[in-house]
């Protein structure tokens, strides 16, 4: 049975009904969308008791690796870069461009055919190790390749997000991160797009971090780092409006999705079994990380944007040399 689409309009605070109807589209979906998680039984069995169980055991002992569950696949991250996309015991992807370090001068789209073939060959040699079950050798070799690539193409924001995920664990912080880079699916019951005020391009809601605090409350967190993250194309108010017209509009299916995600991560040994989601509704929050420039100026600039929102939203200010999310 196919699904019916119904477009309705939702009023955003501070925007009148006519502008909202022009700027916001909400699509209601059916019950078939299962959300993030491993829903294929054979793949799930391989992770809990089959060929991929040793892979998870290696990852759980390696503080440099971080696993995020998507819709029927795993993304395994190293320093914020995707070191393996795993869709089954015999399906793993590794970006061949990690073997190519001249991205700044010669982007991937401009690489010639001969070079592409060489990169693909190197990637295939690496992937063979994974498919043969040599997981430690695969990760060790892939890390070396990615280290060289990151040296030439640094990604500080991804690395920061990666560190947050690793260091905010049950009983080691006030928050436990259970998901990163949460993109609201077009199939979810809280899907929407809208055109932000003064812009022409539709925006699909995406949130940096999903966490659970000590009281069991789900938290949807937007991470901002340094002065470059303030006053850019995605302001603080815009992020909050994205939350209100998506997850905030219909939080129950989001909570159910995150409960299933958390349960699977616990089954895989990735998160402590004692963590529970107890809240009926999530909370939207900001986390701010200072860069090396003047902190007072950064704080003032952040607050200038924050005050435009007109609502009291919790902000966590990361301390120097610490990635832990702590409530003061």
């Amino acid at each position: 049975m196919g699904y019916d689409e119904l477009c309705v309009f939702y009023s955003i605070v501070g925007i009148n009904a006519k502008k909202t109807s022009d700027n916001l589209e909400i699509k209601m979906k059916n019950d078939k969308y299962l959300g993030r998680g491993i829903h294929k039984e054979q793949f799930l069995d391989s992770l809990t008791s089959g060929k991929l169980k040793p892979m998870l055991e290696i990852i759980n002992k390696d503080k440099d690796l971080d696993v995020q569950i998507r819709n029927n696949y795993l993304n395994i991250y190293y320093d914020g870069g995707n070191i393996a996309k795993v869709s089954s015991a015999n399906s793993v992807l590794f970006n061949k461009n990690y073997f190519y370090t001249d991205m700044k001068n010669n982007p991937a789209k401009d690489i010639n055919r001969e070079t592409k073939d060489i990169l693909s060959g190197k990637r295939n040699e690496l992937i063979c190790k994974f498919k043969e079950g040599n997981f430690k050798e695969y990760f060790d070799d892939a890390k070396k390749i990615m280290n060289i690539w990151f040296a030439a193409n640094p990604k500080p924001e991804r690395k920061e997000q990666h560190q947050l995920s690793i260091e905010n664990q049950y009983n080691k912080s006030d928050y436990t991160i259970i998901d990163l880079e949460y993109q609201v699916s077009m199939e979810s019951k809280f899907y929407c797009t809208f055109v932000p005020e003064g812009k022409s391009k539709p925006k699909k809601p995406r949130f940096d971090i999903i966490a659970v605090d000590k009281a069991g409350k789900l938290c949807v967190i937007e991470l901002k780092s340094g002065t470059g993250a303030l006053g850019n194309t995605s302001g603080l108010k815009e992020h909050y409006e994205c939350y209100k017209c998506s997850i905030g509009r219909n939080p129950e299916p989001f909570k159910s999705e995150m409960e299933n995600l958390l349960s699977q991560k616990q089954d895989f040994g990735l998160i402590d079994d004692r963590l529970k989601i107890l809240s009926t509704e999530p909370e939207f929050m900001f986390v701010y990380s200072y860069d090396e420039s003047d902190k007072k100026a950064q704080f003032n600039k952040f607050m200038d944007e924050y005050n435009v929102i007109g609502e009291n939203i919790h902000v966590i200010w990361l301390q120097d040399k610490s990635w832990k999310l702590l409530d003061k």
Side-chain angles (χ1 to χ4, degrees):
M1 178 180 177
Y3 62 76
D4 296 326
E5 290 190 357
L6 174 65
C7 294
V8 296
F9 300 112
Y10 181 81
S11 295
I12 297 176
V13 174
I15 303 177
N16 62 39
K18 182 178 184 305
K19 183 174 289 187
T20 300
S21 68
D22 292 336
N23 287 4
L24 176 64
E25 178 185 45
I26 299 171
K27 297 184 178 181
M28 306 296 288
K29 301 292 183 180
N30 70 359
D31 292 331
K32 288 188 177 180
Y33 176 67
L34 297 175
R36 288 193 167 180
I38 306 304
H39 311 299
K40 295 178 180 178
E41 187 173 345
Q42 187 175 9
F43 185 20
L44 191 58
D45 288 345
S46 74
L47 289 162
T48 55
S49 58
K51 180 180 177 180
L52 292 178
K53 185 177 180 180
M55 178 198 73
L56 289 175
E57 291 171 350
I58 288 170
I59 291 170
N60 283 328
K61 295 175 183 177
D62 191 331
K63 64 180 182 179
D64 294 326
L65 297 177
D66 183 51
V67 179
Q68 300 302 331
I69 301 175
R70 304 313 186 202
N71 191 352
N72 277 321
Y73 66 92
L74 304 179
N75 274 345
I76 304 169
Y77 294 99
Y78 170 68
D79 270 357
N82 195 343
I83 200 169
K85 176 184 175 181
V86 183
S87 302
S88 75
N90 296 305
S91 176
V92 59
L93 295 179
F94 182 83
N95 191 338
K96 67 178 181 295
N97 292 326
Y98 282 130
F99 291 92
Y100 181 75
T101 59
D102 196 28
M103 290 293 184
K104 291 180 181 178
N105 300 318
N106 188 12
K109 64 182 180 63
D110 297 329
I111 299 175
N112 62 43
R113 181 72 262 172
E114 182 180 358
T115 302
K116 285 181 180 178
D117 290 342
I118 293 171
L119 300 182
S120 295
K122 290 181 178 180
R123 176 187 58 190
N124 293 340
E125 288 178 15
L126 178 67
I127 286 176
C128 280
K129 296 179 181 180
F130 185 98
K131 290 183 177 180
E132 291 168 358
N134 298 323
F135 302 118
K136 188 176 188 311
E137 189 176 348
Y138 170 88
F139 288 121
D140 288 346
D141 289 351
K143 283 180 185 179
K144 293 174 185 176
I145 294 161
M146 294 178 72
N147 283 338
I148 296 170
W149 190 88
F150 281 132
N153 303 277
K155 302 292 180 183
E157 289 185 5
R158 291 185 194 175
K159 187 169 184 176
E160 184 168 312
Q161 196 177 61
H162 182 80
Q163 286 298 123
L164 281 166
S165 182
I166 290 173
E167 295 197 22
N168 288 279
Q169 299 177 11
Y170 188 80
N171 273 353
K172 295 181 179 179
S173 168
D174 290 343
Y175 296 79
T176 301
I177 291 177
I178 64 172
D179 196 21
L180 296 176
E181 297 289 343
Y182 181 83
Q183 177 81 51
V184 175
S185 170
M186 293 178 67
E187 301 301 320
S188 74
K189 290 185 176 181
F190 43 86
Y191 171 75
C192 75
T193 61
F194 75 101
V195 180
E197 189 173 3
K199 299 179 183 179
S200 58
K201 230 177 170 180
K203 185 179 182 70
K204 295 179 181 179
R206 184 199 62 78
F207 305 101
D208 291 331
I209 298 167
I210 310 298
V212 181
D213 72 4
K214 286 186 172 181
K217 179 173 58 180
L218 259 177
C219 301
V220 180
I221 301 173
E222 192 63 32
L223 172 66
K224 292 292 184 181
S225 303
T227 52
L230 301 175
N232 62 10
T233 56
S234 299
L236 302 184
K237 182 180 179 183
E238 189 173 303
H239 286 302
Y240 182 50
E241 287 177 347
C242 270
Y243 170 77
K244 286 195 299 179
C245 69
S246 58
I247 294 170
R249 171 178 58 85
N250 190 14
E252 190 56 40
F254 173 73
K255 179 189 174 187
S256 296
E257 184 178 353
M258 291 298 106
E259 285 174 334
N260 178 65
L261 185 76
L262 174 59
S263 177
Q264 287 200 339
K265 280 197 163 185
Q266 290 170 329
D267 288 342
F268 299 159
L270 299 170
I271 293 180
D272 194 290
D273 287 338
R274 290 171 291 177
L275 184 69
K276 304 294 180 187
I277 298 172
L278 303 174
S279 61
T280 55
E281 287 195 19
E283 178 182 1
F284 180 81
M285 302 166 49
F286 291 110
V287 168
Y288 187 79
S289 172
Y290 291 102
D291 62 21
E292 295 179 357
S293 62
D294 183 79
K295 285 189 176 181
K296 185 176 180 181
Q298 290 180 70
F299 175 82
N300 290 337
K301 190 170 183 179
F302 181 94
M303 293 308 299
D304 285 343
E305 279 199 35
Y306 177 87
N307 291 330
V308 173
I309 300 172
E311 296 191 34
N312 185 23
I313 298 172
H314 185 37
V315 181
I316 295 177
W317 305 89
L318 290 179
Q319 302 303 306
D320 289 341
K321 299 180 181 179
S322 174
W323 302 106
K324 293 191 184 299
L325 301 175
L326 302 173
D327 291 321
K328 298 299 181 182

